[in-house]
Amino acid sequence: MRAADEPTPAPMAPATSQDTPAAPPTAETPPAAGPPVPATPPATVAKPPSVTVIDAFDAHGILGRDVRSPANENMGRIADVIVDRGGVARAVVIDFGGFLGVGSRKIVVDWSALRFGNVTSKDEKMTLELTRNQVRAAPEYKENQPIVVLGASGSLEPLRFAPAMEH
């Protein structure tokens, strides 16, 4: 029995694992087996890719398209696009000369030597700012060989890159 002047004790909350301190390891407690397991990192949520919509009237592929000279001479077809390490288009490979692929050779011309006009129309030809004789004199393009790029200004300059970064 309590005396009237004794305070009433507060009700006790049930004990939780946070309230109970962990027992210190003792000689009887066996060590954990194996190396410690790292905490699992939170799952990363992949961001959705960005989306760009290009109207069919604004852009079109150029591979296989006919190329003409300013005098409307057939200069060949675009066979490939040469890009630099940064992914910037620097030149195009044109399958030049020959008839139905026989006797043709590939030459490389500077990207800025092309005039695209309306590339969205398959009937529109691209124009090359070089004459047929200038293109005829260009060295042939060969895979895995140094690339000689014929420019519209008539000058040839080596393409310089910054030193490659080592990984």
Side-chain angles (χ1 to χ4, degrees), residues 94-166:
I94 296 178
D95 199 3
F96 173 77
F99 181 71
L100 298 176
V102 177
S104 66
R105 62 191 184 93
K106 293 180 179 175
I107 56 107
V108 180
V109 297
D110 190 272
W111 184 262
S112 64
L114 283 174
R115 300 293 170 258
F116 292 95
N118 182 8
V119 295
T120 60
S121 170
K122 281 284 194 181
D123 298 330
E124 284 286 325
K125 309 297 187 245
M126 286 173 274
T127 304
L128 181 60
E129 295 292 319
L130 295 164
T131 67
R132 192 159 174 81
N133 286 336
Q134 287 172 319
V135 172
R136 188 176 288 126
E140 185 173 2
Y141 166 74
K142 294 183 181 175
E143 291 275 338
N144 301 318
Q145 298 291 319
I147 302 170
V148 178
V149 179
L150 187 61
S153 66
S155 64
L156 293 177
E157 296 178 18
L159 182 58
R160 305 267 188 232
F161 291 109
M165 300 295 286
E166 293 188 30

Side-chain angles (χ1 to χ4, degrees), residues 25-135:
T26 64
E28 298 172 10
T29 306
V37 178
T40 305
T44 57
V45 178
K47 294 180 182 177
S50 64
V51 176
T52 303
V53 177
I54 302 172
D55 194 309
F57 296 108
D58 293 331
H60 202 282
I62 63 170
L63 294 182
R65 300 287 292 270
D66 289 332
V67 179
R68 308 297 289 188
S69 74
N72 203 27
E73 300 166 296
N74 181 14
M75 303 296 269
R77 291 182 179 262
I78 295 180
D80 205 350
V81 176
I82 305 290
V83 297
D84 63 18
R85 290 180 183 154
V88 177
R90 299 299 302 257
V92 294
V93 178
I94 296 178
D95 199 3
F96 173 77
F99 181 71
L100 298 176
V102 177
S104 66
R105 62 191 184 93
K106 293 180 179 175
I107 56 107
V108 180
V109 297
D110 190 272
W111 184 262
S112 64
L114 283 174
R115 300 293 170 258
F116 292 95
N118 182 8
V119 295
T120 60
S121 170
K122 281 284 194 181
D123 298 330
E124 284 286 325
K125 309 297 187 245
M126 286 173 274
T127 304
L128 181 60
E129 295 292 319
L130 295 164
T131 67
R132 192 159 174 81
N133 286 336
Q134 287 172 319
V135 172

